[in-house]
Amino acid sequence: MWPSIPAFRPFGNIACPAAGKCELPNCIFSHDAPKPQVIHTTPTQNHVALNGEPERKRIKLSEDAKVSPEPVVPVEAAPAPAPAPVFVGSILSKDKTSLPHKETSITSPASTKLVSAAPTTLPQSATRPVSPPPITAAKKAAPKPDAPVALLPKKLAKDPVSFTRRLTLLKALHSYMKPQNDRIAKAVKPEIRALYLTPNQLNKLAVDEEEKLALDNPSVYENILKQRLVKLKAMTPEAWVKERREAVAKEKGETPKKPAPKRVDTGLTPKEEIVFLSMLTCPQDGLDNHGYVTKLPTEEDLKEARLAQTSAAFWEECDRCATRFQVFPERREADGALTTGGECRHHWGRRVFAKKVKGTAPEPTRLSCCNEPVGSPGCVMHETHVFKISDSKRLSLVMPFVETPENDEATPHTAVCFDCEMGYTTHGLELMRLTVVSWPSHRPVLDVLVRPIGHILDVNTRFSGITADQFINAKPYDPENPKPVRKDLRIVESPHQARDLFLSHITRSTPVLGHALENDLNTIRLIHPTIIDTVLLFPTRQGLPYRHGLRNLAKWHLNEEIQQGGAAGHDSYEDARTTGELVRFKIKEKWNTMKADGWTIGEDAVLPPVPLGTPPSDVPTTSSVPTATMASLQAKPAEKRKMDIIEHGGDEPPAKRQA
């Protein structure tokens, strides 16, 4: 800052707005620094008067002179540092005797705050009319709905083909759409005629569709657009009307009504399908390398896990944002805290890898929740951190594992699909809903909410589909009326009770079907020897631990759209039913191939091909043939058809099959 010149300071009595950051050589404002003010502390210290005037020169006084001491201004003590943020709330009390199924939060006496009731009327200043926000430049530049649209391709950062080629294909696309649109104008029903597009609207539809194809499929743009032309040429009027209705519903924000899912036709009876499941059962060998628990932890393992947990003082890593925080499973005595570390800011979406385009710089990997690049600040805030336990030894400390016992009361020749929904508690990720359906009929067998062992930190609605209100207001499970009602789920008091209910319907030989079964079995702490996992039936090219999601498998093989609830979460019954249909789809594929090779299905076994001249007494069955021999029998006809061995996971991944 340059010193200002008094002769050229018309505003010399006004302090410069830039203060010490002023860079003008001759500023017209004042730059006279105010004199510091010092608060009196003791009479012997050098100080400046509070009014800003210089202190008078001190006069030496004699010893007998009486001097009145100067007033001392007390200095306010610095405020105490704020306590570290802790989480003391939970949607559910562990003491259910005080307020069963109704308590929404738990707070310690130290953290209780009085909240005044909201005023019934607003002050006058708050009710005056507010000016509308100014019109932004983007809104001014937005075209009107009826603005003319030229039949020209939109400009892109990088054209997939030349502009001339794009224009030719766009005109071809428009010419194939026009006959379909003209037929609507001649329809008898007025609701169909209402779908007719004006010439300008038809131009916009063609331009938008061509642009979308160019952006989504730059490397195969021309092939995809030609396929669209072929589809339009062979399209029936009914199919065009269906497309238009879906487009109108999407513009209005309406959710189109999903058609009822079609069942897979395997060509087998339900009993034969259950018999065929023996060909898809996953062997237990090697599953422990991929998260499955196949053996009960020993006492030494549990002692070691307990010692490690005590030494770590319950410090955990957040499953969402990887922050280190401390957990108190039974609350901290000092303040009733459940967790420390404050709020959790995180991304709930998965990573989306950008498509590689030759000749262009690679785009950053983004997140599906907010489309921001990986490493950006989280887009969701939660009041506490959460964690998950994957080690079987630590899981056993919370709830011991058990092996499926023999059950003479279980219905023979049956199979079940089951799915678990989990929420976060002070003991990690715990069971909060258990759904079991019969297979292949998909009849509900058991569907209950489960009260976890630890204090609830988050019901995890986005993925579990369970809301806090639904969980709090659930009625107790009634053993006299066990029929599940999906709209009014009952609640059991512990995961132990839920597991006992599940075990009452199965035995060791009952096939249990599911997707990523290791998660569900570990959540319920169960070791079951007869499992069929769709992750293993539909492997990826890379093999485990990479796997296909249930939603993608349903779309590829069943042409179904599931898990469309968004923030409302998943439906465990829908997931269990879809898993069962995927198993039936695999049975259809395998049976069609094996039947052509001479395999047959008996009363309780799948019989391999019988060579000519073999006596009936020497015909092998699945119950008498060892696993290795059965694998070799299955591999022989596969040599000419490249059929995968069932023990190694089934057929090729969908991406390869579609290619």
Side-chain angles (χ1 to χ4, degrees):
M1 180 193 72
W2 293 70
S4 57
I5 302 175
F8 299 97
R9 285 193 300 170
F11 301 100
N13 59 341
I14 301 175
C16 179
K21 297 181 180 180
C22 180
E23 298 180 355
L24 297 176
N26 297 313
C27 184
I28 61 176
F29 294 99
S30 173
H31 283 275
D32 295 334
K35 296 179 180 179
Q37 297 183 5
V38 179
I39 299 176
H40 288 287
T41 54
T42 61
T44 59
Q45 292 178 337
N46 294 331
H47 58 275
V48 179
L50 292 176
N51 58 7
E53 297 179 358
E55 186 185 17
R56 296 179 181 179
K57 192 172 183 180
R58 297 193 179 190
I59 303 175
K60 186 175 182 181
L61 302 176
S62 59
E63 295 180 359
D64 56 348
K66 296 182 179 180
V67 181
S68 59
E70 297 182 6
V72 178
V73 180
V75 179
E76 294 184 1
V86 296
F87 177 74
V88 298
S90 172
I91 70 162
L92 198 64
S93 172
K94 296 296 290 183
D95 182 12
K96 297 180 284 297
T97 58
S98 60
L99 193 61
H101 313 297
K102 293 293 182 183
E103 190 170 1
T104 57
S105 63
I106 300 176
T107 55
S108 63
S111 62
T112 304
K113 296 181 181 179
L114 297 177
V115 182
S116 59
T120 56
T121 58
L122 294 174
Q124 184 176 2
S125 61
T127 58
R128 67 182 182 182
V130 180
S131 302
I135 300 176
T136 61
K139 291 184 178 179
K140 291 181 180 179
K144 297 181 180 180
D146 296 331
V149 178
L151 195 62
L152 293 173
K154 292 185 179 180
K155 186 177 180 180
L156 303 177
K158 182 175 179 60
D159 290 335
V161 294
S162 64
F163 180 83
T164 305
R165 186 57 180 164
R166 284 186 64 193
L167 178 61
T168 302
L169 293 172
L170 173 61
K171 289 182 177 180
L173 182 64
H174 180 271
S175 64
Y176 278 77
M177 288 181 172
K178 190 175 184 304
Q180 300 287 355
N181 186 54
D182 292 341
R183 293 192 189 100
I184 291 183
K186 302 175 183 178
V188 177
K189 296 181 179 180
E191 61 270 17
I192 296 180
R193 287 202 306 271
L195 300 174
Y196 173 76
L197 299 174
T198 64
N200 193 57
Q201 291 174 334
L202 189 64
N203 285 357
K204 185 177 184 303
L205 177 64
V207 170
D208 291 345
E209 183 169 339
E210 189 275 339
E211 180 193 24
K212 187 176 185 304
L213 293 177
L215 291 173
D216 295 345
N217 308 278
S219 58
V220 290
Y221 157 79
E222 194 166 350
N223 292 339
I224 297 295
L225 205 149
K226 287 180 179 179
Q227 292 176 9
R228 175 61 173 165
L229 296 178
V230 173
K231 184 178 180 180
L232 285 172
K233 185 177 181 180
M235 184 177 290
T236 61
E238 292 78 12
W240 176 259
V241 170
K242 182 181 178 181
E243 274 195 8
R244 294 302 313 137
R245 283 176 174 169
E246 292 176 354
V248 171
K250 187 176 181 180
E251 290 176 359
K252 294 181 179 180
E254 300 174 356
T255 304
K257 185 178 180 180
K258 296 194 302 183
K262 296 182 180 179
R263 286 178 60 85
V264 177
D265 184 12
T266 61
L268 301 173
T269 65
K271 183 179 179 180
E272 290 174 337
E273 290 180 359
I274 293 176
V275 171
F276 195 88
L277 285 179
S278 61
M279 309 298 293
L280 305 180
T281 302
C282 305
Q284 296 288 301
D285 297 340
L287 289 181
D288 52 350
N289 296 327
H290 303 289
Y292 290 85
V293 178
T294 57
K295 296 180 181 178
L296 293 175
T298 62
E299 288 297 329
E300 290 75 11
D301 294 336
L302 298 181
K303 184 178 180 180
E304 180 184 353
R306 189 177 293 107
L307 179 62
Q309 191 177 47
T310 305
S311 302
F314 292 96
W315 280 90
E316 304 289 349
E317 182 178 293
C318 181
D319 190 37
R320 292 169 169 169
C321 67
T323 298
R324 295 284 295 174
F325 71 106
Q326 196 172 13
V327 181
F328 306 100
E330 299 302 329
R331 294 189 175 278
R332 187 164 60 183
E333 294 183 2
D335 53 2
L338 294 175
T339 62
T340 63
E343 295 180 332
C344 174
R345 186 173 182 181
H346 62 280
H347 294 284
W348 58 262
R350 58 181 179 82
R351 295 188 176 192
V352 179
F353 297 93
K355 295 181 179 179
K356 296 182 180 180
V357 181
K358 189 176 181 180
T360 61
E363 296 184 4
T365 303
R366 299 187 177 275
L367 296 156
S368 60
C369 51
C370 57
N371 202 33
E372 291 295 324
V374 174
S376 60
C379 60
V380 177
M381 187 77 72
H382 192 261
E383 54 189 344
T384 181
H385 298 283
V386 295
F387 70 103
K388 178 177 72 172
I389 300 175
S390 300
D391 182 54
S392 60
K393 304 169 189 175
R394 288 195 58 192
L395 290 174
S396 298
L397 297 179
V398 180
M399 178 179 172
F401 277 85
V402 298
E403 294 181 341
T404 305
E406 293 291 347
N407 182 12
D408 296 335
E409 298 181 0
T411 306
H413 307 294
T414 59
V416 296
C417 299
F418 98 110
D419 185 68
C420 297
E421 299 297 347
M422 288 79 81
Y424 291 101
T425 75
T426 51
H427 287 303
L429 204 58
E430 285 198 67
L431 175 68
M432 297 189 71
R433 181 181 176 183
L434 174 64
T435 303
V436 182
V437 299
S438 63
W439 186 92
S441 64
H442 304 321
R443 177 180 56 84
V445 174
L446 180 66
D447 198 357
V448 292
L449 297 175
V450 183
R451 199 179 305 281
I453 298 174
H455 294 273
I456 297 177
L457 302 179
D458 184 9
V459 293
N460 203 24
T461 303
R462 181 175 291 278
F463 298 99
S464 68
I466 303 170
T467 63
D469 292 339
Q470 178 189 21
F471 197 85
I472 294 170
N473 299 321
K475 300 176 183 177
Y477 175 76
D478 184 8
E480 301 298 329
N481 186 20
K483 185 178 180 180
V485 181
R486 295 174 59 195
K487 295 183 180 180
D488 186 20
L489 295 177
R490 302 302 178 95
I491 190 168
V492 296
E493 292 304 312
S494 70
H496 299 84
Q497 183 181 355
R499 183 173 63 188
D500 292 341
L501 289 173
F502 180 42
L503 292 176
S504 66
H505 295 282
I506 65 172
T507 186
R508 292 182 61 84
S509 59
T510 303
V512 173
L513 288 60
H515 182 80
L517 266 177
E518 78 279 7
N519 296 323
D520 302 309
L521 292 173
N522 292 350
T523 300
I524 204 172
R525 309 294 196 276
L526 183 64
I527 300 175
H528 190 72
T530 313
I531 62 173
I532 298 172
D533 195 339
T534 50
V535 166
L536 304 177
L537 292 182
F538 299 90
T540 63
R541 291 181 179 181
Q542 299 89 344
L544 292 174
Y546 303 100
R547 57 185 64 189
H548 293 301
L550 183 62
R551 179 168 58 181
N552 288 338
L553 291 176
K555 184 176 181 180
W556 292 333
H557 302 297
L558 305 178
N559 197 25
E560 291 184 20
E561 296 286 346
I562 66 169
Q563 299 177 354
Q564 301 297 310
H570 302 171
D571 181 1
S572 56
Y573 173 80
E574 180 185 55
D575 291 352
R577 189 205 66 82
T578 303
T579 300
E581 285 301 286
L582 285 170
V583 173
R584 297 184 71 245
F585 177 86
K586 179 59 63 175
I587 289 177
K588 177 183 177 181
E589 280 191 342
K590 295 296 181 184
W591 173 240
N592 288 340
T593 303
M594 295 172 67
K595 181 173 62 174
D597 294 330
W599 289 73
T600 57
I601 298 180
E603 286 294 325
D604 56 356
V606 181
L607 307 177
V610 180
L612 296 177
T614 303
S617 59
D618 296 338
V619 175
T621 63
T622 52
S623 59
S624 61
V625 177
T627 303
T629 306
M630 183 59 66
S632 64
L633 288 172
Q634 294 176 9
K636 286 182 179 179
E639 292 176 358
K640 53 185 176 181
R641 288 183 173 84
K642 297 184 180 180
M643 170 182 167
D644 294 328
I645 299 176
I646 293 177
E647 280 77 7
H648 289 79
D651 68 347
E652 297 171 342
K656 184 175 180 180
R657 182 164 52 256
Q658 289 177 351

